[in-house]
């Protein structure tokens, strides 16, 4: 994809996003994605050689191989949002093989999906694309709905499937978060022992995180702190929603803050908000991938490219995009995934 096409998709935001210079946290303070990321970050860590090999398989697969950036296809929405709601737009994806085919055809670094999907397809595809097994889910069948993440299998089972990594979600801020932190921390420790990489979905979840019409679940300060807790339990990659606002701690009235969090370390620009998320991932030593978000129909391509530009220019390491890709015909899904990857391959889209 040409720079002109990226500018066209960004529309009126092109100038603000492509030419923004970050004056909050300097790019010189960040550890940026690159061909030698594993050697520079993990070679001196407690990660054993098997973990580094698993990370290398993630970093060196697909169209972004060798760049330090990743593009991952996640499909666990059959549990998180019900299979019918997720796959009604394209029933072909009730078949888990088509999920894996989309990831391969789309040039992704890895496919992240459920125990059931990967167990059924393991012998056919585990050696063709890195598997990321999502080990916990919000089952969403309890009435009335409750929002909790529970384990659906073991790390040992993921290892037996030939997985390169395990993924998990913690709902930081929820009443169940303490239990989830303990469970996932133990699971990640075991994963590293077995040589698997770890990816954490660092989501905030509390009904009181919405106030006066503003949703602070996507505030830079709250999501940034969730990221910091995620790297503390040794996630190798952090997945987070793109920030849309800031000041959640102040407006809701909890936690600890410093005025510098808002007037020195961030601004209203989405790149600066996302850079604050990156900073909370040990200044980028642990890579930040942002969520592609829900499918909105005709604007999906534009929205995906925008998210990729913001993530890359902030210092992030890629996107994990599902519904925008699989809730449409496979050819269109491949094109959307390739468009995301083109942003990371572009020499003109640089770190702000």
């Amino acid at each position: 994809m040409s720079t002109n096409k990226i500018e066209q998709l960004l529309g009126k935001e092109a100038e603000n996003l492509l030419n923004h210079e970050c004056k909050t946290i300097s790019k010189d303070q960040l550890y940026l994605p690159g061909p030698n990321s594993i050697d520079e970050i993990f070679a001196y860590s407690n990660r054993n050689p098997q973990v580094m090999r698993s990370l290398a398989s993630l970093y060196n697969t697909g169209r972004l191989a060798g760049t330090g950036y990743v593009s991952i296809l996640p499909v666990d929405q059959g549990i998180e949002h019900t299979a019918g709601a997720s796959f009604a737009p394209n029933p072909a994806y009730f078949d888990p093989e088509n999920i894996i085919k989309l990831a391969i055809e789309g040039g992704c670094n890895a496919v992240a999906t459920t125990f059931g999907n990967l167990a059924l397809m393991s012998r056919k595809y585990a050696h063709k694309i890195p598997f990321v097994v999502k080990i916990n889910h919000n089952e969403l069948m309890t009435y009335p709905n409750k929002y909790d993440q529970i384990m659906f299998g073991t790390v040992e089972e993921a290892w037996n499937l030939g997985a390169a990594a395990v993924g998990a979600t913690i709902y930081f801020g929820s009443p169940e978060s303490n239990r989830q932190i303990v469970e996932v921390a133990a699971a990640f420790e075991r994963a590293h022992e077995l040589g698997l990489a770890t990816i954490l979905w660092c989501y905030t979840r509390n009904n009181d995180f919405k106030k006066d019409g503003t949703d602070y679940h996507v505030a830079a300060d709250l999501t940034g702190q969730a990221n910091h807790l995620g790297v503390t339990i040794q996630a190798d990659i952090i997945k987070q929603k793109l920030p849309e606002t800031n000041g959640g701690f102040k407006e809701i009235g909890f936690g600890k803050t410093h005025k510098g969090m808002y007037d020195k370390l961030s601004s209203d620009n989405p790149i600066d908000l996302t850079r604050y998320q990156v900073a909370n991932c040990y200044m980028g030593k642990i890579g930040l991938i942002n969520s592609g978000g829900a499918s909105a129909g005709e604007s999906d391509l534009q929205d995906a490219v925008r998210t990729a530009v913001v993530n890359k220019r902030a210092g992030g390491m890629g996107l994990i995009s599902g519904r925008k890709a699989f809730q449409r015909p496979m050819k269109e899904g491949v094109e959307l995934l390739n468009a995301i990857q083109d942003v990371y391959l572009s020499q003109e889209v640089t770190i702000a």
Side-chain angles (χ1 to χ4, degrees):
M1 180 188 297
S2 67
T3 306
N4 288 340
K5 180 61 175 178
I6 294 174
E7 290 177 355
Q8 180 183 344
L9 288 169
L10 293 176
K12 62 182 181 181
E13 287 192 284
E15 172 67 24
N16 188 42
L17 296 182
L18 292 175
N19 296 319
H20 174 70
E21 181 183 351
C22 185
K23 296 181 179 179
T24 54
I25 299 168
S26 169
K27 63 184 179 182
D28 298 331
Q29 296 178 272
L30 302 178
Y31 290 82
L32 300 175
N36 299 316
S37 291
I38 294 175
D39 291 336
E40 293 173 354
I41 303 303
F42 293 105
Y44 302 100
S45 74
N46 67 341
R47 275 58 158 185
N48 63 43
Q50 299 286 359
V51 173
M52 293 176 66
R53 184 170 67 176
S54 293
L55 284 167
S57 72
L58 287 171
Y59 280 65
N60 294 314
T61 299
R63 294 183 71 230
L64 298 182
T67 65
Y69 293 105
V70 299
S71 165
I72 298 175
L73 175 71
V75 187
D76 61 341
Q77 288 86 351
I79 298 173
E80 299 277 344
H81 303 124
T82 78
S86 298
F87 302 135
N90 192 348
Y93 290 106
F94 275 108
D95 182 345
E97 185 165 10
N98 287 326
I99 293 169
I100 298 173
K101 285 181 176 178
L102 174 60
I104 293 173
E105 292 296 320
C108 291
N109 296 70
V111 57
T113 186
T114 66
F115 275 108
N117 286 353
L118 295 179
L120 199 62
M121 306 311 304
S122 177
R123 291 184 182 274
K124 189 172 183 179
Y125 289 104
H127 57 296
K128 297 179 181 178
I129 186 170
F131 283 3
V132 180
V133 182
K134 188 67 162 51
I135 61 175
N136 69 356
H137 302 280
N138 175 20
E139 49 85 15
L140 213 64
M141 273 290 288
T142 306
Y143 182 82
N145 285 157
K146 69 178 188 296
Y147 297 95
D148 190 9
Q149 290 283 330
I150 59 174
M151 291 292 175
F152 269 56
T154 65
V155 174
E156 285 78 7
E157 186 178 358
W159 182 84
N160 283 328
L161 294 178
V166 296
T169 299
I170 294 177
Y171 285 153
F172 292 103
S174 71
E176 301 83 10
S177 62
N178 284 356
R179 190 206 79 241
Q180 293 168 12
I181 291 170
V182 172
E183 284 180 350
V184 174
F188 280 9
E189 180 180 359
R190 182 58 177 149
H192 282 154
E193 288 175 354
L194 291 174
L196 303 180
T198 57
I199 304 176
L200 188 63
W201 279 239
C202 289
Y203 288 169
T204 60
R205 183 62 60 87
N206 190 304
N207 289 336
D208 290 330
F209 288 177
K210 295 182 179 180
K211 182 179 179 181
D212 299 331
T214 300
D215 187 355
Y216 291 104
H217 288 98
V218 287
D221 54 351
L222 295 189
T223 55
Q225 181 61 19
N227 291 356
H228 199 69
L229 295 176
V231 296
T232 298
I233 63 172
Q234 299 185 69
D236 299 318
I237 297 174
I238 295 292
K239 182 206 175 187
Q240 184 57 267
K241 295 181 180 180
L242 204 68
E244 298 176 12
T245 187
N246 207 352
F249 282 126
K250 294 191 299 182
E251 294 300 324
I252 297 164
F254 79 115
K256 300 288 186 180
T257 64
H258 186 286
K259 66 178 183 179
M261 291 167 57
Y262 307 104
D263 62 16
K264 291 183 179 180
L265 302 184
S266 192
S267 76
D268 292 334
N269 189 287
I271 295 171
D272 292 344
L273 293 174
T274 307
R275 179 153 298 181
Y276 186 75
Q277 290 184 340
V278 172
N280 275 277
C281 296
Y282 294 152
M283 280 296 191
K285 284 187 172 181
I286 302 300
L288 170 70
I289 54 177
N290 285 119
S291 170
S295 174
E298 292 183 0
S299 67
D300 279 353
L301 179 60
Q302 177 182 355
D303 294 342
V305 167
R306 178 189 186 275
T307 303
V309 168
V310 170
N311 172 271
K312 183 180 183 182
R313 300 212 70 221
M317 70 173 294
L319 246 59
I320 183 164
S321 186
R323 281 168 286 175
K324 284 181 169 61
F326 72 75
Q327 290 186 336
R328 55 188 1 98
M330 185 173 291
K331 183 177 182 294
E332 295 180 16
V334 167
E335 291 172 352
L336 187 139
L337 290 169
N338 288 168
I340 291 170
Q341 295 151 12
D342 286 345
V343 171
Y344 293 96
L345 292 170
S346 172
Q347 299 296 315
E348 285 74 35
V349 180
T350 58
I351 305 299

